[in-house]
Amino acid sequence: MKIALAQINTTPDVSANVSKVEDYVRSAAEAGAVLVQFPEATMRSFGPGLREDTRQHAAAWQERMQALADEHELTIVAGEFLAHGDRVVNQLAVYSPAARRVAYEKIHLYDAFGFRESDTVEPGSDIVTVDVEGVTVGLAICYDIRFPKLFAELSRAGAQLALVSASWGAGPGKLYQWDLLARVRALDSNMIVSAVDQADPKVSGVEVPADAPTGVGGSLVVDPFGAPIAQEDGQGEQLIVTDIDFGVIDKAKSALPVLENARLGY
């Protein structure tokens, strides 16, 4: 399976974000990808006015994403929001050609490093898998990557590939942690992990809201032995295209059957 990872920066300007997504979807399709994965908060970045913009733009955004998937005949995975009372729901949505939209609602909210996502976001409660080209794919968002049981449950549900989309908060050691966690989640779940972050705005030069998680780059795809399948240098905006051979999963389950050997449900 050929997939593309769109490491981009988004802003509060939803229209500009749509245009950027259109460009990257077109490039992914031209490269022969059957799936293109965007970061968390693709529709609109975190920051002031999030709920109001979500109410105004969510329906049109969803309509455009589905049209793009149909037009280019590939699956689009993108971070977006839905209004929920006085808060929003942080979602990773899947748009496949001629199929209904499927969305995962972020379970683990980023109440860490001085940021409180739960002040504005309602948490989800259910794991979600989807079928893409006959491959079972699990979905996760950003802070979820710190919680191994979620990935174990996705694997037990049949997922071979986990898509993690993030707007990873910057800070000392955070890029290292992002890279390390992607590798460890692949190792302890016998899955391939595709981890896509927002680009580092200090590198890309894109203006983003202050005091919000805005990305550090470092997107990568990791096999179940923790080895990178794809990892490009640079923390700026870029499209990473790679082929995935799922045969490595059977090799990992045979050599390192961590879920089979697990006891007490862990």
Side-chain angles (χ1 to χ4, degrees), residues 203-228:
V203 176
S204 67
V206 177
E207 280 195 36
V208 297
D211 302 320
T214 53
V216 296
S219 301
L220 71 165
V221 183
V222 187
D223 76 14
F225 293 103

Side-chain angles (χ1 to χ4, degrees), residues 186 190-191 223-225 247-258:
N190 289 147
M191 287 192 294
D223 76 14
F225 293 103
V248 70
I249 292 175
D250 289 336
K251 294 177 182 178
K253 286 182 177 180
S254 175
L256 190 66
V258 288

Side-chain angles (χ1 to χ4, degrees), residues 12-175:
D13 187 337
V14 178
S15 295
N17 297 337
V18 169
S19 295
K20 183 174 288 188
V21 168
E22 289 173 342
D23 290 342
Y24 276 79
V25 168
R26 187 178 304 109
S27 295
E30 290 172 352
V34 299
L35 180 150
V36 56
Q37 179 187 358
F38 289 88
E40 177 185 25
T42 304
M43 183 181 85
R44 190 213 186 272
S45 62
F46 286 100
L50 176 59
R51 185 184 62 174
E52 293 75 13
D53 284 346
T54 294
R55 290 186 185 278
Q56 180 179 353
H57 295 287
W61 166 273
Q62 290 181 21
E63 183 177 344
R64 183 60 186 137
M65 292 303 106
Q66 187 61 60
L68 279 173
D70 294 341
E71 176 187 352
H72 293 284
E73 298 184 332
L74 84 173
T75 296
I76 298 170
V77 181
E80 56 192 51
F81 300 97
L82 280 182
H84 186 281
D86 61 353
R87 295 196 282 181
V88 298
V89 178
N90 187 345
Q91 298 187 324
L92 189 60
V94 180
Y95 298 89
S96 295
R100 70 178 182 89
R101 172 183 177 273
V102 177
Y104 162 71
E105 299 181 352
K106 187 177 183 180
I107 294 173
H108 302 99
L109 300 185
Y110 182 55
D111 289 355
F113 291 101
F115 188 81
R116 284 191 54 82
E117 186 178 8
S118 63
D119 286 346
T120 56
V121 176
E122 181 77 17
S125 58
D126 299 318
I127 68 168
V128 173
T129 64
V130 295
D131 182 277
V132 179
E133 300 283 319
V135 174
T136 302
V137 176
L139 305 176
I141 302 175
C142 201
Y143 195 47
D144 282 332
I145 203 170
R146 294 187 182 271
F147 297 87
K149 190 171 182 180
L150 171 63
F151 288 78
E153 292 307 310
L154 287 171
S155 184
R156 290 187 174 110
Q160 298 170 279
L161 171 65
L163 304 180
V164 188
S165 291
S167 186
W168 196 254
K174 294 296 294 297
L175 178 60

